[in-house]
Amino acid sequence: MNTVKQLFVRKKVPHINVKDNLTAYLFLAPSLIILGLFLFYPALMSLYYSLTDYYLLTPQLTEFIGLDNFKNLLSDPLMRKSLMNIFKFVILILPIQVGTALGLALLVNNQRKSTIIYKVAYFSPVVMSLAVISILWLYLLNPSSGLINEVLSNFGISAQPFLTSPTQAMYVIVVISAWQGAGNQMLIFLAGLQNIPSSIYEAARIDGAGRGRQFWNVTLPMLKPTSLMILTTTLIDAFKLIIQPMVMTQGGPLNSTMTPVYYIYRTGFTDRQLGFASAMTVLYGGLIIVFTVLQRKFVGGDTNE
Amino acid sequence: MNSNKTTRVLFHILSILLVILFIFPLIWMIVSSLKPEAEVYDNMGSLQAFLPSNHISEWFGAYESVFSRFSIFRYILNSVFYAFSVTIGSIIVNSLAGYAFAVLNFRFKKLLFGLMIGLLAIPGETILITKFVVTQKLGILDTPLAVILPLMATPLYIYMFTIFFRAISTELQESAVLDGANKFQIYWKIMLPMSKPAVATVGTLSFIMSWNDYIWPLMVLTNADRYPLQVAITNINNTEPVYINQVMAILTLSTIPLILIYVFFQKYLVQGLGASGTGEK
Amino acid sequence: MKLKKVIAVLGIFIVFLVGCGNNDDSENAANDQTISVWVHVSREEPEGQAMEESIERFNESQDDYTAEIQFIPRSGSGGGYEDVINAALTTDTLPDVLTVDGPNTAAYAQSEILQPIDQYVSDKDDVLPSIIEQGMYDDQLYSMGYSESGIGFYYNIDMLEQAGIDTDALPTVDEPWDWDEFNHMLETLHDHYKKPILDMGFDDQSEFLLYAYTPFLWSNGGEITNEEQTEAVGYFNSEESHETFSFIRQLVENDYSTISPVEYGFHTGEYALLMSGSWTMQELDEEYQDINYGIMPYPVSSNTHELVSPTGSWAYGMSGTTSNPEGAGAVIDFLTQEEQMYQVSMANSVLPARYSVAERMVEEVSEPMQLLIEQNTKTGRARPSIVNYPQVSRAFQETVTETTYYDYSPDLQEILDTKAQEIEVYLNQEN
């Protein structure tokens, strides 16, 4: 205990006293305990497993093997392929999904009447089961009989293979994922918009600012912390893509929609190579964190932390 | 004036198209549950796909089958219980932490916040086994707590509360301090009521997260009487032969509560700071 | 303030529900004569109900043991249930008896999750050889299948007749068509309908592909591995294998079949032929009664004329950690005798795993089902029992997929060479 206290005292942030720390940690205690038990500790265990030959069915035989998993990982062709796939996905989905979400939020926020219909509509893909959504899209996109190809043929466009084409499948997944997930970010944007005090708009109006000016000078700057949060979490979520390819293409055709998390899941649970999968988790988790930090630096002006 | 009217009409048409673009799976799901299975596939190529069966007598066949196959009410009751518990727990636990990050000063604040963002990067699918071992060591296997507890704290929602609490005027808090309020009273009486948009958003998202959870409840529960609705859904969707109209019926039953809860929380969302005008900055 | 009221009300609601939910049912302290049984189906499915009734009959049939069944419904190909097993074995809480998917037997046996059950299962001569084969690892029986599965070629009688095919002269199990005869029918149908007429399930990128396509390979005298299961190079990339995959490729190249079939296309009259299992019969009989259908057996290699069909399903096994192997063995034996197998197979409309059950069922089922049962008992062959089966199965799936994407990978031999090497790595990988 003493050494811990010394640690606290030695650091030179004079205005935080013991009582303040205690209060703050009381507030934090429930979440720290839960996150510690169910997220942080398992993550630490993954770190440890990554250095072992953990085979899912024989945990008692697990042995420490140093960095072997990581060595094998660096020469794994499918890992490289899935990384390329996910980069393509992330770069495309980030602007599309966040842009759509912001557009929808502004639209809903400016709607005077029957907003609830709009809100339910835009949000419905989020609450819908992915099973329904993927079944329906698989139908619509079916190369032989799908409605979308029928519509395209009216415009003189020949039938497209969509999800059955190694070159098109990932783009289709981008569009469907953005469409499906935008309602989520819309909700958070809406909360951000609602959180802007109306007094600021009134002040701007008194200063003679038009709608456009209000948007640029009030809405956007006030929305900045929310936007940064949404960008960060969308980026991270995009990197963690698994369900859509799992349900719609099983990573195919020809691994063109294989993503790292799907590959990790498959290696750990289908192939039962949990040690190797943990090494992938560690490396990939690190990579996501690096990109998150880069993004926050790049978007810039983050005053929060 | 005339052009103004035209743009408004155009705007409305666009809005309606947009609504259709987003809502068509919902419509399809509901109407598909209201027709015999063969019709679902037969109608696929035409607009009839988005209309229920022509014979009203056939509308509820799928529902009758689903209700006779599963004890739906018990599953729904279980799911409602888990989801409400998670929702309330999540609002409280995450907002407490968000308050600490937004308002209070303490050691290792930056470190903890960074760590929390870092935790977002962990794919949940990969840590299932260790999570299970923890739950077993806590001795809460096969209790509702095992389902609820892990979902109560989420880095993303802590982050959201942090950001929304930061936006709340410090003057109000300072005057409360002058009135002799302690930190908890400020949190409970000022910050939470003033962050209705955040509360509503976290509430909605937590409810959905819990409602759709499948693998975890199945792992930690052994008593089938405690299974949530998702178990029945997955089952009906994976037991050959799969009847699509029954799948859609049970999915409709499962989606309606989510829409209701969303509509319910939305009421609070629009009553946020913007509308009430109490916030100053 | 209203929000807080709502929260308060909900809080009370929850306390109420927790109170209700916690009916303590922990009275049954672990009794050594209690045998716990885990099954992968839901209590509410016909199969689950049949299992529950079988367990009840077991408990009534003797006084030594009490079996308790627990339902852990799986999702998809086994997720959910298998997650629970994996979790249980890390915490040493496996039950006495559990169901396993046939191809998992080898891995579970090697990891000692299962233990041999040879001595407990009686009347093995009556069991289909494919079921025994599926349960064997290291020359011992580790799992005992309680039902079978199979695949046939569904045909739409009206569509065939419209194209001028004589439906009275279709192949039978004793006189199957070879690949050339089969192709000839496809050509006739294609000429008439001018579009793909056969759904081969190419879009099903799952275990289904190995399950349904190995019979083609076996019929042509090919193998995935050598008998010792140590080598795949020289086997999976053999000439027999090349011929088999060429046959599969030409189905797509000639536009007889398609990599992106319309879902339920056979059910709705889009395709004249469908390769599928017995579950499709239930769908057709209950929901698509307009389709007038029959089932024909697998086409056979033109070189060997040997009919081979796929088999395998879920099975019972005894956990390696059971404290009561005698009791667990008694449960497994009871559940895999004629009467219980008959009940489960009939309830679930699946194929029987014993000759005696097959004889009983043939009397009571429809003609197409009779054909599947006959094909199954006479020509069924189990999937290979390999520890790293999931990986091998996936390599096989990828082979089928790459074969059908002939634009992207035109050189068939190259595909087979690559995959043979890949499979060989999995065969010899130690876990």
Side-chain angles (χ1 to χ4, degrees):
Chain A
M1 269 328 261
N2 248 336
T3 49
V4 176
K5 260 184 199 155
Q6 276 165 5
L7 256 177
F8 274 88
V9 179
R10 215 183 298 132
K11 275 212 171 176
K12 40 168 189 182
V13 190
H15 57 275
I16 307 178
N17 59 36
V18 177
K19 194 178 163 243
D20 281 349
N21 274 323
L22 197 70
T23 319
Y25 276 98
L26 273 178
F27 274 94
L28 287 170
S31 49
L32 287 188
I33 292 171
I34 296 173
L35 290 179
L37 284 174
F38 296 107
L39 209 51
F40 188 62
Y41 171 72
L44 278 185
M45 288 309 284
S46 289
L47 195 61
Y48 165 69
Y49 293 152
S50 71
L51 305 171
T52 70
D53 63 352
Y54 192 161
Y55 177 62
L56 188 61
L57 300 182
T58 51
Q60 71 280 4
L61 301 180
T62 302
E63 277 173 24
F64 188 82
I65 55 165
L67 294 173
D68 284 6
N69 285 330
F70 291 94
K71 272 183 225 149
N72 294 338
L73 186 52
L74 291 178
S75 59
D76 189 297
L78 191 50
M79 190 66 193
R80 223 171 299 152
K81 169 128 199 180
S82 65
L83 281 175
M84 293 315 291
N85 290 340
I86 200 72
F87 286 144
K88 197 200 249 175
F89 178 81
V90 168
I91 289 169
L92 289 171
I93 196 146
L94 211 56
I96 297 179
Q97 184 167 343
V98 174
T100 311
L102 181 59
L104 292 178
L106 290 170
L107 212 60
V108 166
N109 208 35
N110 287 331
Q111 211 74 256
R112 299 241 171 80
K113 275 183 267 171
S114 50
T115 50
I116 200 71
I117 294 173
Y118 293 102
K119 277 196 228 166
V120 168
Y122 303 150
F123 196 66
S124 66
V126 180
V127 302
M128 296 274 299
S129 141
L130 263 169
V132 181
I133 287 176
S134 43
I135 293 172
L136 188 53
W137 278 109
L138 281 174
Y139 277 120
L140 296 174
L141 293 168
N142 187 299
S144 338
S145 64
L147 200 63
I148 295 190
N149 265 334
E150 236 155 80
V151 172
L152 287 182
S153 73
N154 290 336
F155 295 96
I157 300 169
S158 63
Q160 298 296 308
F162 297 120
L163 286 167
T164 60
S165 149
T167 48
Q168 293 185 1
M170 193 45 122
Y171 297 105
V172 176
I173 288 191
V174 168
V175 173
I176 295 177
S177 305
W179 168 88
Q180 196 261 333
N184 217 329
Q185 281 84 21
M186 173 199 78
L187 196 64
I188 302 173
F189 268 129
L190 262 180
L193 286 171
Q194 297 286 347
N195 215 29
I196 301 173
S198 49
S199 52
I200 302 189
Y201 285 108
E202 274 153 36
R205 230 169 294 148
I206 290 166
D207 289 350
R211 280 197 135 189
R213 281 265 307 282
Q214 282 179 35
F215 178 75
W216 283 110
N217 295 341
V218 180
T219 311
L220 272 191
M222 293 294 287
L223 217 49
K224 195 173 167 194
T226 314
S227 311
L228 185 68
M229 169 173 70
I230 289 175
L231 275 176
T232 307
T233 54
T234 310
L235 180 85
I236 293 174
D237 273 350
F239 270 115
K240 294 198 315 197
L241 177 74
I242 170 167
I243 304 276
Q244 286 88 338
M246 204 174 188
V247 180
M248 289 195 285
T249 58
Q250 291 87 39
L254 310 182
N255 288 323
S256 62
T257 56
M258 179 53 70
T259 70
V261 174
Y262 190 12
Y263 187 36
I264 291 172
Y265 179 80
R266 204 178 82 176
T267 308
F269 292 99
T270 311
D271 299 1
R272 310 182 176 120
Q273 310 292 330
L274 212 55
F276 190 50
S278 299
M280 293 187 197
T281 311
V282 168
L283 214 63
Y284 190 57
L287 196 76
I288 298 180
I289 290 173
V290 169
F291 274 100
T292 312
V293 171
L294 280 180
Q295 183 210 35
R296 292 172 79 89
K297 284 250 159 69
F298 179 70
V299 176
D302 181 21
T303 53
N304 292 337
E305 289 115 72
Chain B
M1 278 300 110
N2 217 346
S3 74
N4 207 341
K5 220 173 192 176
T6 335
T7 45
R8 202 171 291 167
V9 169
L10 260 174
F11 178 77
H12 274 290
I13 292 174
L14 258 170
S15 297
I16 289 166
L17 281 179
L18 211 54
V19 165
I20 292 172
L21 178 68
F22 279 87
I23 211 167
F24 76 92
L26 187 72
I27 307 285
W28 182 72
M29 175 182 75
I30 297 171
V31 301
S32 296
S33 73
L34 298 175
K35 52 174 92 160
E37 150 147 312
E39 273 185 43
V40 178
Y41 293 105
D42 280 337
N43 293 338
M44 215 45 220
S46 69
L47 220 61
Q48 180 71 29
F50 294 95
L51 295 172
S53 168
N54 295 330
H55 311 282
I56 296 183
S57 58
E58 284 179 342
W59 280 18
F60 300 104
Y63 288 90
E64 276 165 28
S65 312
V66 163
F67 274 96
S68 68
R69 275 174 80 179
F70 295 95
S71 30
I72 299 287
F73 285 116
R74 173 184 286 281
Y75 285 136
I76 289 186
L77 199 70
N78 289 341
S79 278
V80 165
F81 165 57
Y82 297 137
F84 270 129
S85 312
V86 167
T87 305
I88 290 170
S90 159
I91 289 173
I92 292 170
V93 169
N94 292 317
S95 67
L96 281 171
Y99 177 74
F101 281 123
V103 177
L104 304 177
N105 283 315
F106 56 93
R107 283 194 190 272
F108 308 123
K109 181 169 164 177
K110 275 189 182 177
L111 178 77
L112 277 179
F113 197 82
L115 205 62
M116 210 183 58
I117 302 281
L119 286 180
L120 279 174
I122 302 169
E125 292 84 0
T126 59
I127 55 171
L128 272 178
I129 298 280
T130 324
K131 236 170 96 179
F132 179 83
V133 174
V134 169
T135 315
Q136 196 230 14
K137 294 252 162 72
L138 291 175
I140 54 173
L141 278 185
D142 203 23
T143 69
L145 213 53
V147 179
I148 297 161
L149 200 59
L151 290 179
M152 292 218 301
T154 312
L156 171 63
Y157 304 150
I158 296 178
Y159 188 5
M160 277 178 59
F161 273 116
T162 308
I163 280 179
F164 285 109
F165 285 155
R166 271 205 195 115
I168 291 173
S169 142
T170 46
E171 284 164 36
L172 265 173
Q173 297 171 47
E174 278 157 15
S175 64
V177 171
L178 287 178
D179 289 344
N182 63 26
K183 293 276 194 281
F184 184 78
Q185 286 165 329
I186 293 174
Y187 155 79
W188 186 247
K189 295 220 167 107
I190 297 176
M191 303 304 262
L192 257 198
M194 287 189 63
S195 321
K196 279 178 194 158
V199 172
T201 307
V202 169
T204 314
L205 296 179
S206 303
F207 193 96
I208 295 171
M209 177 174 69
S210 163
W211 190 265
N212 289 334
D213 202 6
Y214 162 69
I215 300 226
W216 181 247
L218 197 61
M219 271 179 99
V220 295
L221 297 174
T222 45
N223 185 345
D225 288 341
R226 295 203 176 106
Y227 283 161
L229 185 61
Q230 288 301 320
V231 173
I233 295 178
T234 315
N235 202 246
I236 218 168
N237 199 21
N238 286 299
T239 311
E240 299 282 2
V242 175
Y243 297 113
I244 190 99
N245 56 342
Q246 289 183 28
V247 172
M248 293 305 151
I250 197 166
L251 286 170
T252 303
L253 289 173
S254 140
T255 307
I256 284 168
L258 292 181
I259 303 264
L260 289 181
I261 207 80
Y262 174 67
V263 170
F264 166 80
F265 273 118
Q266 281 311 296
K267 237 174 63 194
Y268 290 100
L269 213 162
V270 291
Q271 285 174 2
L273 288 177
S276 59
T278 42
E280 296 162 44
K281 188 145 189 185
Chain C
M1 290 310 107
K2 225 167 143 195
L3 187 64
K4 270 197 229 159
K5 246 187 228 159
V6 172
I7 292 184
V9 170
L10 288 180
I12 292 166
F13 177 64
I14 282 165
V15 171
F16 169 74
L17 274 172
V18 172
C20 293
N22 273 341
N23 311 323
D24 246 38
D25 40 7
S26 54
E27 12 32 90
N28 46 33
N31 177 345
D32 239 19
Q33 301 312 317
T34 302
I35 308 296
S36 52
V37 181
W38 283 7
V39 300
H40 63 284
V41 298
S42 152
R43 177 167 55 192
E44 286 132 330
E45 292 303 317
E47 188 175 0
Q49 280 164 10
M51 283 173 162
E52 191 167 34
E53 285 160 17
S54 286
I55 292 283
E56 276 166 24
R57 281 192 289 271
F58 171 78
N59 289 336
E60 285 161 16
S61 71
Q62 42 74 50
D63 297 324
D64 297 336
Y65 311 106
T66 313
E68 276 179 4
I69 188 167
Q70 191 180 318
F71 300 92
I72 306 167
R74 75 197 177 289
S75 70
S77 53
Y81 180 70
E82 277 168 24
D83 291 331
V84 175
I85 301 238
N86 295 333
L89 71 97
T90 50
T91 51
D92 209 9
T93 48
L94 283 171
D96 301 303
V97 174
L98 64 159
T99 55
V100 291
D101 196 5
N104 276 338
T105 303
Y108 283 12
Q110 191 227 20
S111 308
E112 293 172 21
I113 294 170
L114 296 179
Q115 54 177 299
I117 51 172
D118 296 284
Q119 59 185 110
Y120 303 105
V121 178
S122 53
D123 207 4
K124 283 200 268 284
D125 292 343
D126 184 38
V127 178
L128 300 192
S130 54
I131 286 291
I132 300 288
E133 226 178 292
Q134 158 184 279
M136 295 297 273
Y137 176 74
D138 228 2
D139 292 330
Q140 286 180 293
L141 185 69
Y142 278 86
S143 74
M144 180 63 198
Y146 57 87
S147 67
E148 256 296 9
S149 70
I151 280 190
F153 284 75
Y154 287 74
Y155 57 88
N156 184 321
I157 295 173
D158 303 331
M159 282 181 81
L160 256 55
E161 281 175 351
Q162 269 174 38
I165 293 167
D166 179 6
T167 48
D168 292 326
L170 291 176
T172 62
V173 172
D174 293 324
E175 281 180 51
W177 277 353
D178 67 19
W179 293 348
D180 297 331
E181 292 167 292
F182 186 70
N183 270 335
H184 183 250
M185 167 183 66
L186 296 179
E187 199 186 341
T188 314
L189 285 166
H190 189 264
D191 284 348
H192 186 268
Y193 291 102
K194 310 265 184 269
K195 62 176 186 184
I197 27 67
L198 165 65
D199 181 351
M200 290 284 285
F202 285 129
D203 57 333
D204 191 335
Q205 294 177 16
S206 70
E207 161 60 15
F208 174 81
L209 292 182
L210 181 141
Y211 172 73
Y213 283 87
T214 38
F216 292 107
L217 179 63
W218 288 331
S219 173
N220 199 38
E223 293 287 341
I224 301 176
T225 70
N226 60 348
E227 214 169 306
E228 297 75 29
Q229 295 180 347
T230 51
E231 290 170 30
V233 178
Y235 295 86
F236 192 57
N237 55 349
S238 65
E239 205 188 313
E240 290 84 5
S241 187
H242 189 274
E243 283 166 8
T244 309
F245 283 96
S246 302
F247 166 70
I248 294 169
R249 173 171 281 188
Q250 60 85 31
L251 293 175
V252 183
E253 265 178 329
N254 288 334
D255 198 36
Y256 299 154
S257 188
T258 165
I259 53 170
S260 52
V262 178
E263 292 200 44
Y264 283 68
F266 181 81
H267 303 58
T268 50
E270 174 82 17
Y271 302 124
L273 292 154
L274 165 71
M275 181 173 76
S276 187
S278 57
W279 55 87
T280 300
M281 234 180 288
Q282 271 173 281
E283 292 162 3
L284 291 168
D285 294 345
E286 283 173 39
E287 301 278 344
Y288 303 88
Q289 287 152 3
D290 299 345
I291 301 290
N292 187 9
Y293 73 94
I295 296 183
M296 62 175 89
Y298 265 74
V300 298
S301 155
S302 316
N303 300 329
T304 67
H305 285 274
E306 189 199 344
L307 177 54
V308 186
S309 67
T311 64
S313 190
W314 285 69
Y316 289 110
M318 185 193 300
S319 83
T321 55
T322 177
S323 57
N324 192 344
E326 292 297 326
V331 172
I332 293 174
D333 187 35
F334 185 86
L335 292 175
T336 53
Q337 288 308 312
E338 183 192 331
E339 180 59 28
Q340 313 312 322
M341 277 194 182
Y342 172 78
Q343 297 294 347
V344 168
S345 295
M346 285 302 282
N348 207 24
S349 308
V350 290
L351 306 181
R354 280 182 178 275
Y355 289 113
S356 54
V357 182
E359 276 165 34
R360 252 174 99 176
M361 277 179 77
V362 164
E363 308 285 309
E364 299 171 43
V365 295
S366 67
E367 208 172 301
M369 186 73 169
Q370 284 172 7
L371 182 124
L372 283 186
I373 293 178
E374 188 193 356
Q375 180 184 254
N376 195 251
T377 48
K378 287 184 179 166
T379 71
R381 176 165 170 187
R383 289 165 281 183
S385 173
I386 298 172
V387 173
N388 284 327
Y389 182 83
Q391 291 95 316
V392 173
S393 171
R394 188 168 53 239
F396 191 99
Q397 290 159 35
E398 287 171 357
T399 313
V400 175
T401 307
E402 288 180 32
T403 300
T404 56
Y405 278 81
Y406 52 88
D407 280 347
Y408 289 88
S409 20
D411 188 346
L412 203 49
Q413 193 58 47
E414 195 184 303
I415 302 174
L416 293 172
D417 290 342
T418 317
K419 293 299 172 189
Q421 280 164 13
E422 200 182 310
I423 292 173
E424 193 158 311
V425 171
Y426 294 135
L427 291 175
N428 299 299
Q429 178 178 313
E430 280 183 40
N431 295 307

